[in-house]
């Protein structure tokens, strides 16, 4: 027997921690299949309906909700994928009201520095894990330099760095 609130939570969690579209597929697939609340066929049919239906492709989860719990499941899925964007809109509206407050400006500055610090740690970890030599470090620095100019599209930098990586192998 399915617990309605837990079922809703699984859809909400998948929506909260994805970037939209089919980004919630891995989470829902793992959670619902592990509990035997959905089948591979239901996932396949939901995705097919999502692809042929007009509108955003993230609406496939409404079909999945219908296939797994009928009309109540589709309504729960709809609510779960609608709530995060509404939450973002509410937070943005609240932020606009207080964005000029010195404490908020300080918080945002600190948050930006924390994100930069985490990025640096991840970058260093990637460089270490790849046993990068001087050529790899120079490639990374060149990519950072090109990115800072803003004149070269990011996708071109990524492709160029990949070609350099292939050439150095």
């Amino acid at each position: 027997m399915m617990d309605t609130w837990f079922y809703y939570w699984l859809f909400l969690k998948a929506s909260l921690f994805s970037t939209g579209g089919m980004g919630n597929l891995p989470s829902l697939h793992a959670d619902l299949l592990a509990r035997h609340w959905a089948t591979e066929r239901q996932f396949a049919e939901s995705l097919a309906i999502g692809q042929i239906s007009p509108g955003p492709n993230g609406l496939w989860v409404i079909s999945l909700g219908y296939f797994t719990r009928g009309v109540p499941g589709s309504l729960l899925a709809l609510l779960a994928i609608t709530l995060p964007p509404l939450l973002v809109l509410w937070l943005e509206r609240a932020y606009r009201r207080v964005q000029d407050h010195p404490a908020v400006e300080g918080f945002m500055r600190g948050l930006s520095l924390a994100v930069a610090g985490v990025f640096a740690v991840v970058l260093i970890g990637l460089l270490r894990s790849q046993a990068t030599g001087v050529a790899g470090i120079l490639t990374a620095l060149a990519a950072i330099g090109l990115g800072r100019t803003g004149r070269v599209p990011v996708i071109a930098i990524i492709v160029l760095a990949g070609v350099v990586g292939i050439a150095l192998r």
Side-chain angles (χ1 to χ4, degrees):
M1 165 120 175
M2 281 189 218
D3 174 19
T4 302
W5 290 109
F6 190 66
Y7 178 85
Y8 170 74
W9 167 249
L10 294 177
F11 278 83
L12 181 62
K13 176 186 70 134
S15 184
L16 282 169
F17 297 111
S18 68
T19 56
M22 286 185 261
N24 51 10
L25 175 62
S27 177
L28 284 171
H29 189 264
D31 289 338
L32 295 179
L33 287 181
R35 289 165 181 79
H36 305 288
W37 291 355
T39 64
E40 292 285 354
R41 180 181 177 137
Q42 289 170 326
F43 272 93
E45 289 175 355
S46 299
L47 289 168
I49 290 170
Q51 290 298 311
I52 63 171
S53 299
N57 63 4
L59 297 179
W60 72 274
V61 296
I62 298 170
S63 298
L64 181 63
Y66 180 78
F67 287 140
T68 57
R69 296 248 0 230
V71 173
S74 64
L75 292 174
L76 288 171
L78 175 63
L79 183 62
I81 65 170
T82 305
L83 190 60
L86 291 176
L87 179 63
V88 168
L89 290 174
W90 177 79
L91 286 172
E92 191 273 337
R93 186 175 191 150
Y95 174 74
R96 281 184 185 242
R97 290 184 182 158
V98 297
Q99 71 184 3
D100 295 327
H101 190 278
V104 173
E105 289 176 351
F107 176 79
M108 294 305 290
R109 197 172 319 115
L111 187 62
S112 299
L113 293 171
V115 168
V118 168
F119 176 76
V121 169
V122 169
L123 179 63
I124 290 168
L126 282 171
L127 290 172
R128 283 186 183 156
S129 71
Q130 296 299 315
T132 305
V134 174
I137 292 172
L138 291 175
T139 303
L141 291 174
I144 291 169
L146 285 173
R148 293 239 342 135
T149 67
R151 294 180 183 165
V152 181
V154 173
I155 191 69
I157 296 170
I158 292 170
V159 170
L160 184 60
V163 170
V164 169
I166 292 169
L168 293 176
R169 278 275 173 195

